Amino acid sequence: MEMAFLQGLGLGGSLVVAVGAQNAFILKQGLRQSYPLLIAVLCSGIDGIMIAFGVLGFGQIVVAFPVIVNVARIGGAVFLFAYGAHALYTSFFHSRQLSTDVKQVDSLPRVLLLTLGVSLLNPSLYLDTVLLLGSISVQFQGIERILFAIGAIVASLGWFFSLSFGAKYLSPAFNQPQAWVYLDRAICLIMWTIAVILILPYLT
């Protein structure tokens, strides 16, 4: 049973740590100290619900109807290519730097809507937590499957709170506009790499 928990913890951690649209948003808001607790709670809560849904039910549906995976992979790749292109564009045409001026902190309703949007409209949420974790979880039965889900949820919880509250320690570096350029270009590279990996099976 311990092995099921550790597998969930390790796999969940490896998936959630990958830089993506949601993590980039959390990092930027965390750098500005814009409602870090709210963002961490919302993101980890949404992730936990989707993990539970995938592991405890949807994973078996995916096994029965594999076409769902194909649709999700292609749709996710399109989203990632588009987001990567936007990040690349931003790195060339928008000069930014971090300001700790409280006036630049977004309003609570805006932060709430942005957090929900970047979480629920992100294909990676469904590809990773529902499809991938759900599919892998079918190897476990009973309590082991529950422990697998708990392990993945713990990894998600730890990551989102660490990223949201730990970002402030990067503030000095992001006072330089060039740091945002590097961040956006790194996001673009990672997004496009993941997109290629998603569609690679259809190209060979």
Side-chain angles (χ1 to χ4, degrees):
M1 288 191 293
E2 292 82 0
M3 186 59 65
F5 174 82
L6 292 176
Q7 285 190 37
L9 185 69
L11 183 57
S14 65
L15 292 174
V16 75
V17 168
V19 176
Q22 186 184 50
N23 284 341
F25 168 77
I26 296 172
L27 176 61
K28 291 178 181 180
Q29 293 298 318
L31 285 167
R32 298 167 64 183
Q33 286 297 286
S34 177
Y35 301 101
L37 178 60
L38 171 66
I39 292 174
V41 169
L42 280 176
C43 291
S44 58
I46 291 171
D47 225 40
I49 291 172
M50 299 307 292
I51 290 171
F53 175 62
V55 171
L56 301 180
F58 194 72
Q60 299 181 46
I61 298 177
V62 172
V63 173
F65 302 97
V67 67
I68 297 175
V69 177
N70 295 330
V71 173
R73 289 174 72 95
I74 295 173
V78 171
F79 173 86
L80 293 173
F81 273 123
Y83 192 94
H86 179 267
L88 184 62
Y89 170 83
T90 300
S91 74
F92 281 107
F93 297 102
H94 292 271
S95 178
R96 294 168 296 167
Q97 69 182 69
L98 178 66
S99 173
T100 56
D101 188 345
V102 70
K103 294 180 180 179
Q104 290 199 9
V105 176
D106 292 325
S107 66
L108 178 58
R110 176 176 171 78
V111 170
L112 179 62
L113 290 176
L114 285 174
T115 304
L116 292 175
V118 79
S119 298
L120 297 176
L121 297 179
N122 184 3
S124 296
L125 174 69
Y126 308 99
L127 289 169
D128 293 345
T129 62
V130 178
L131 296 178
L132 183 56
L133 289 177
S135 299
I136 293 175
S137 69
V138 298
Q139 65 181 299
F140 301 109
Q141 299 296 328
I143 187 64
E144 287 190 340
R145 182 175 296 179
I146 295 175
L147 288 173
F148 177 82
I150 292 175
I153 292 172
V154 168
S156 175
L157 189 71
W159 170 251
F160 286 128
F161 273 85
S162 297
L163 181 61
S164 191
F165 284 97
K168 64 181 180 181
Y169 297 107
L170 298 175
S171 296
F174 280 87
N175 276 314
Q176 303 299 321
Q178 195 67 20
W180 292 95
V181 172
Y182 293 140
L183 176 61
D184 283 326
R185 292 180 183 176
I187 290 172
C188 173
L189 178 62
I190 293 170
M191 291 293 191
W192 284 358
T193 299
I194 297 173
V196 170
I197 291 173
L198 286 174
I199 64 174
L200 194 59
Y202 308 105
L203 303 178
T204 56

